[in-house]
């Protein structure tokens, strides 16, 4: 099927990236999914099945809940003498097979299928009837290259079945606690996915002929140009679900098979968190309050997009808010309104940027200023000047860890003496999923995994796993909690900043000053069963300077023996 040169090239990429050889060949386009699946099924000694040729038996499908089938990429297709035949995209996923045995109570016979066949079979699930019933009422839509009048597009988008279908997606997503809806056009179907607790889950597959109807309806709701299908667009609208106001931000982009739409959902009625409810350890929350109670200086929050920085900033503002202080914010966009605080939204077209807003804020007699993000040198310089002239400035940066924020400011061209004088503290954070309390069980391999990953011996912790149940939509997790590392600026750190010390020296000094690393905080939460070790590995690099030797590492009492020789253990 392939040439020797193609094999050698594939092996080079496999060795360099660690990706499976078959996946490398798929990405290179030298084999297709069905050929790969057939060869793998022969190699593994399992049956290869096609699932797109006939209707799936409903009584068999009902044995495995649709959300779990979607998560495991597994479809039951036959039952014989107490044995359930299950087609899997990855038959090597032993844990998935164990989950299926536990949920169904049957022995499992694994077969192999392709991703396309899996998506076809998933579409047959009786649990997806609501969307399917609405789809049946829709006439064929336009093809990707077809010209169509604006009037016809608008009529299609305002048909009652289309309106009900889009409303159904939004309502269902809100009720399942999703933060985003992804609507993606593929060659033979449309994939609908919801991001729940930070992880994308396939919710439905729909026929491709309704694509134009749905995209046009979303664009009309978001006040976007429904005739423009070749350029990216952004828009927004407001709706209500179960009496709750929901802000929806919409982004569309052109793709090979048609436009993709992503809807960000923001529940305006959700309460603003208190600092005590963010998951901070006793030492971290004391350290954070010590920094934000200072009358002046800069406090920065770092982390990737979606790591909860805005939520933490709002919790800080909520704690600092009082009649005795004047708090002003500039955000992009304003996500929640806080009574007693003046909030301003970025509007680049009108000339309202982070930098220009900061200049005007200084004439508003502020005590505390919150800037949504330090994006450039100009914003950083004005923020530092504000901090040096008696204001407390809160903002965010995109860096991998807390000490990295110092390096980023220096890379922006800010003089070291200004950073050392103005910066009071930096916090880095990540979000991990919380184990579902209804289906959480003890992880029998937790201690061995901990030893293999970071060289930490048995801490006496109780590590857990989520089995999956109806309450958590068969994901094993429900809700999220934050991991933190908080570095306070000490005299030692300020001296290192002035001398432009490298990142690893800043990290070591921060740990000596009491900083608990993200990895250590994650292991502490896993040790008491709040989250799983797999979640910690998912969001924190093990190469990150890890299980530190600071006085407060966030570990609960009784688990302090998890502390080893600090960086040495993490580097293992």
């Amino acid at each position: 099927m392939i040439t020797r040169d193609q094999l050698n090239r594939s092996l080079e990429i496999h060795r360099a990236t660690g990706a499976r050889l078959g996946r490398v060949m798929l990405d290179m386009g030298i084999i297709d999914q069905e050929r790969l699946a057939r060869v793998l099924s022969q190699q593994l000694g399992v049956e290869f099945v096609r699932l797109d040729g006939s209707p799936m038996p409903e009584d068999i499908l009902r044995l495995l809940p649709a959300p779990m089938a979607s998560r495991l990429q597994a479809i039951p297709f036959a039952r014989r003498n107490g044995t359930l035949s299950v087609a899997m995209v990855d038959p090597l996923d032993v844990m998935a097979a164990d989950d299926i045995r536990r949920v169904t109570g049957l022995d499992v016979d694994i077969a192999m299928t392709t991703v396309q066949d899996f998506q076809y079979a998933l579409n047959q699930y009786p649990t997806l009837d609501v969307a399917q019933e609405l789809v049946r009422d829709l006439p064929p839509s336009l093809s990707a290259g077809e010209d169509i009048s604006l009037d016809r597009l608008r009529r299609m988008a305002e048909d009652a079945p289309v309106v009900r279908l889009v409303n159904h997606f939004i309502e269902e997503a809100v009720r399942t606690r999703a933060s985003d809806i992804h609507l993606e056009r593929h060659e033979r179907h449309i994939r609908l996915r919801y991001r729940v607790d930070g992880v994308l889950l396939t919710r439905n597959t729909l026929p491709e002929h309704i694509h134009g109807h749905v995209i046009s309806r979303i664009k009309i709701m978001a006040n976007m140009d429904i005739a423009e299908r070749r350029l990216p667009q952004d828009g927004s609208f407001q709706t209500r679900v179960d009496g709750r106001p929901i802000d929806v931000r919409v982004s569309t982009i052109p793709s090979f098979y048609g436009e993709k739409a992503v809807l960000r959902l923001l529940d305006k009625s959700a309460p603003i968190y208190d600092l005590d409810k963010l998951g901070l350890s006793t030492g971290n929350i004391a350290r954070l309050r010590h920094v934000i109670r200072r009358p002046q200086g800069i406090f920065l929050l770092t982390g990737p997009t979606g790591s909860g920085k805005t939520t933490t900033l709002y919790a800080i503002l909520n704690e600092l808010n009082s009649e005795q202080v004047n708090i002003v914010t500039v955000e992009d966009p304003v996500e929640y309104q806080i009574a007693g605080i003046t909030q301003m939204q970025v509007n680049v077209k009108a000339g309202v940027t982070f930098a220009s807003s900061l200049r005007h804020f200084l004439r508003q007699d502020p005590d505390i200023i919150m800037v949504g993000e330090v994006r450039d040198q100009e914003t950083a310089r004005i923020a530092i000047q504000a901090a040096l002239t008696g204001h407390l400035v809160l903002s965010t940066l995109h860096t991998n860890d807390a000490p990295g924020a110092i390096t980023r400011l220096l890379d922006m061209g800010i003089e070291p003496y200004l950073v050392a004088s103005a910066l009071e503290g930096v916090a880095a954070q990540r979000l991990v999923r919380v184990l579902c309390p209804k289906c959480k069980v003890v992880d029998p391999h937790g201690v061995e995994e901990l030893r293999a990953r970071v060289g930490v011996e048995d801490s006496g912790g109780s590590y857990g796993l989520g089995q999956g149940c109806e309450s958590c939509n068969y994901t094993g997790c429900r809700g999220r909690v934050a991991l933190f590392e908080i570095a306070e600026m000490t005299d030692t750190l300020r001296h290192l900043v002035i001398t432009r010390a490298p990142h690893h020296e800043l990290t070591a000094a921060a740990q000596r000053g009491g900083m608990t690393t993200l990895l250590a905080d994650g292991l502490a939460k896993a040790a008491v069963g709040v989250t799983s070790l797999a979640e910690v590995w998912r969001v924190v690099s093990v190469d990150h300077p890890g299980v530190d030797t600071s006085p407060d590492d966030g570990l609960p009492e009784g688990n302090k023996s998890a502390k080893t020789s600090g960086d040495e253990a993490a580097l293992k």
Side-chain angles (χ1 to χ4, degrees), residues 463-495:
Y463 301 99
L465 289 174
Q467 294 188 92
C469 64
E470 188 174 354
S471 175
C472 62
N473 208 24
Y474 297 94
T475 62
C477 301
R478 186 175 178 84
R480 290 188 289 178
V481 69
L483 309 182
F484 287 92
E485 64 178 28
I486 300 175
E488 278 191 271
M489 291 297 289
T490 61
D491 290 341
T492 302
L493 266 177
R494 295 185 198 279
H495 174 73

Side-chain angles (χ1 to χ4, degrees), residues 53 56 73 87 120 141 151-152 156 169 233 244 281 286 291 295 327 342 362 391 406 446 505 507 532 557 559 563:
M56 304 293 293
Q73 291 192 297
Y120 170 85
S141 179
D151 286 341
R152 185 186 164 198
M156 286 166 38
F169 293 157
Q233 294 189 65
R244 291 180 288 161
S281 68
V291 173
I327 302 177
T342 303
L362 295 177
H391 307 89
I406 299 172
E505 289 188 22
T507 301
S532 67
E557 292 300 326
N559 290 302
K563 296 175 66 171

Side-chain angles (χ1 to χ4, degrees), residues 426-447:
V426 186
Q429 71 178 81
R430 301 289 189 276
L431 293 176
V432 292
R433 294 184 294 172
V434 175
L435 292 174
C436 175
K438 293 188 177 180
C439 63
K440 180 173 68 174
V441 296
V442 174
D443 181 0
H445 305 295
V447 174

Side-chain angles (χ1 to χ4, degrees), residues 12-29:
E12 288 177 10
I13 297 173
H14 160 69
R15 284 191 288 264
T17 65
R20 290 183 180 178
L21 189 60
R23 169 52 57 186
V24 172
M25 293 179 183
L26 281 176
D27 293 342
M28 292 175 65

Side-chain angles (χ1 to χ4, degrees), residues 204-309:
N204 211 330
T205 53
L206 302 168
E208 70 274 12
H209 74 263
I210 71 164
H211 180 261
H213 298 281
V214 175
I215 294 295
S216 295
R217 175 59 189 167
I218 291 171
K219 285 183 175 180
I220 286 176
M221 295 173 74
N223 198 27
M224 297 157 68
D225 185 355
I226 62 173
E228 179 57 73
R229 290 179 278 160
R230 297 167 296 176
L231 296 175
Q233 294 189 65
D234 295 303
S236 64
F237 62 92
Q238 288 189 329
T239 186
R240 298 185 77 86
V241 176
D242 300 331
R244 291 180 288 161
I246 306 295
D247 274 2
V248 184
R249 287 182 239 147
V250 180
S251 170
T252 62
I253 60 170
S255 69
F256 185 78
Y257 292 111
E259 287 180 285
K260 172 178 177 176
V262 175
L263 287 69
R264 168 63 58 88
L265 308 175
L266 190 65
D267 187 348
K268 304 294 284 185
S269 66
I272 295 173
Y273 282 93
D274 293 329
L275 280 181
D276 295 315
K277 296 180 180 178
L278 293 181
L280 288 145
S281 68
T282 303
N284 273 339
I285 198 165
R287 198 168 292 119
L288 177 60
R289 284 191 165 119
H290 186 246
V291 173
I292 64 174
R293 291 293 180 183
R294 293 176 182 174
Q296 64 185 50
I298 293 182
F299 175 71
L300 294 174
L301 269 168
T302 76
T305 301
S307 60
K309 299 188 298 295

